């Protein structure tokens, strides 16, 4: 595509939960097919760790640039996870095993590209704000993420550009604890700040 690929990575390890055999991976797999059918993405990858995910992002349809990456998986304040494998601010450091993969993806991003973490709490509390700023500055592209526990409703969505400081408060989404030591987050609801539905495929302008 002349204007860049729209790519999706989702966690392929969440195949069951505590109450039954169906885990969120099955939901994300169906969602990926739906998004593809709606013309919202060009390719999707179920990944079992971040090395696998970044290798795919850096090589799929190599001759074409990337304009959007969405990641569907689990998260926590300042982190995004595939199974137990964590992507956080430490991954940006030169000696971290994920550094080179992130750098290779960075080389494919067009100006104005977006990386959207559709994960719980990744941009929440102090650690989430720090991660949001460091990640956007490292990749040189916009990043979006949430401050709440997400599900069908996804609250606390914010978008940040390189060189900017986070414009949302570190208290947003924190239900118990403090921004520096959060213990529990609020669940997303339609009335909470900056809420989209899981079927919404774009970050609203100005968020």
């Amino acid at each position: 595509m002349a204007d860049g690929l729209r790519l999706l990575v989702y966690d392929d390890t969440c195949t069951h939960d505590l109450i039954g055999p169906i885990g969120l991976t099955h939901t994300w797999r169906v969602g990926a097919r739906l998004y593809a059918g709606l013309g919202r993405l060009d390719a999707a990858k179920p990944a079992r760790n971040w090395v696998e995910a970044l290798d795919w992002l850096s090589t799929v349809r190599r001759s074409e640039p990337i304009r959007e990456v969405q990641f569907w998986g689990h998260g926590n304040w300042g982190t995004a996870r595939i199974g137990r494998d964590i992507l956080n601010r430490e991954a940006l450091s030169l000696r971290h095993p994920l550094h080179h993969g992130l750098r290779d993806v960075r080389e494919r991003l067009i100006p104005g590209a977006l990386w959207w973490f559709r994960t719980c709490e990744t941009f929440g509390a102090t650690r989430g704000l720090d991660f949001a700023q460091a990640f956007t500055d490292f990749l040189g592209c916009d990043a979006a993420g949430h401050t709440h526990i997400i599900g069908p409703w996804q609250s606390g969505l914010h978008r940040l550009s390189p060189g900017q400081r986070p414009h949302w408060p570190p208290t947003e989404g924190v239900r118990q604890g403090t921004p520096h030591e959060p213990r529990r987050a609020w669940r997303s609801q339609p009335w909470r700040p900056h809420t989209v539905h899981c079927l919404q495929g774009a970050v609203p302008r100005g968020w």
Side-chain angles (χ1 to χ4, degrees):
M1 295 178 62
D3 56 352
L5 296 169
R6 299 159 301 171
L7 303 177
L8 167 66
V9 174
Y10 61 89
D11 184 342
D12 195 35
T13 71
C14 190
T15 55
H16 66 277
D17 58 30
L18 295 177
I19 60 174
I22 303 300
L24 283 172
T25 291
H26 302 280
T27 302
W28 295 323
R29 185 177 298 133
V30 171
R33 292 173 182 168
L34 175 62
Y35 266 49
L38 292 171
R40 294 179 179 174
L41 59 89
D42 301 299
K45 169 67 175 177
R48 301 192 66 82
N49 56 63
W50 276 110
V51 170
E52 180 182 352
L54 295 174
D55 181 68
W56 180 78
L57 287 171
S58 63
T59 58
V60 62
R61 295 167 62 170
R62 191 189 299 270
S63 63
E64 302 174 72
I66 298 171
R67 67 178 165 108
E68 182 173 315
V69 174
Q70 289 197 31
F71 171 65
W72 300 356
H74 293 291
N76 199 243
W77 297 286
T79 70
R81 303 196 315 273
I82 298 178
R84 296 183 178 180
D85 197 21
I86 293 175
L87 173 66
N88 58 14
R89 184 169 182 168
E90 293 178 3
L92 310 179
S93 62
L94 184 60
R95 295 185 179 181
H96 195 279
L98 299 181
H99 174 88
H100 293 292
L102 287 166
R103 185 192 60 191
D104 291 343
V105 175
R106 179 177 65 190
E107 297 302 313
R108 299 192 63 189
L109 299 172
I110 65 171
L114 170 67
W115 183 303
W116 185 354
F117 291 101
R118 301 190 85 159
T119 52
C120 297
E121 309 159 31
T122 296
F123 277 14
T126 302
R127 292 196 299 273
L129 272 66
D130 289 345
F131 173 69
Q133 185 172 356
F135 191 78
T136 55
D137 287 345
F138 178 85
L139 283 190
C141 75
D142 288 7
H146 298 266
T147 61
H148 289 57
I149 298 169
I150 67 171
W153 293 108
Q154 302 179 349
S155 300
L157 173 59
H158 298 281
R159 180 171 181 160
L160 191 69
S161 297
Q164 293 183 339
R165 295 182 62 83
H167 49 271
W168 59 97
T171 53
E172 185 180 287
V174 178
R175 183 176 183 179
Q176 293 181 358
T178 67
H180 291 289
E181 295 183 1
R183 297 196 302 272
R184 189 178 180 189
W186 288 104
R187 291 191 175 273
S188 297
Q189 300 291 348
W191 59 84
R192 298 207 185 277
H194 288 212
T195 297
V196 296
H197 193 269
C198 64
L199 296 179
Q200 188 165 338
V203 179
R205 187 177 298 274
W207 283 20

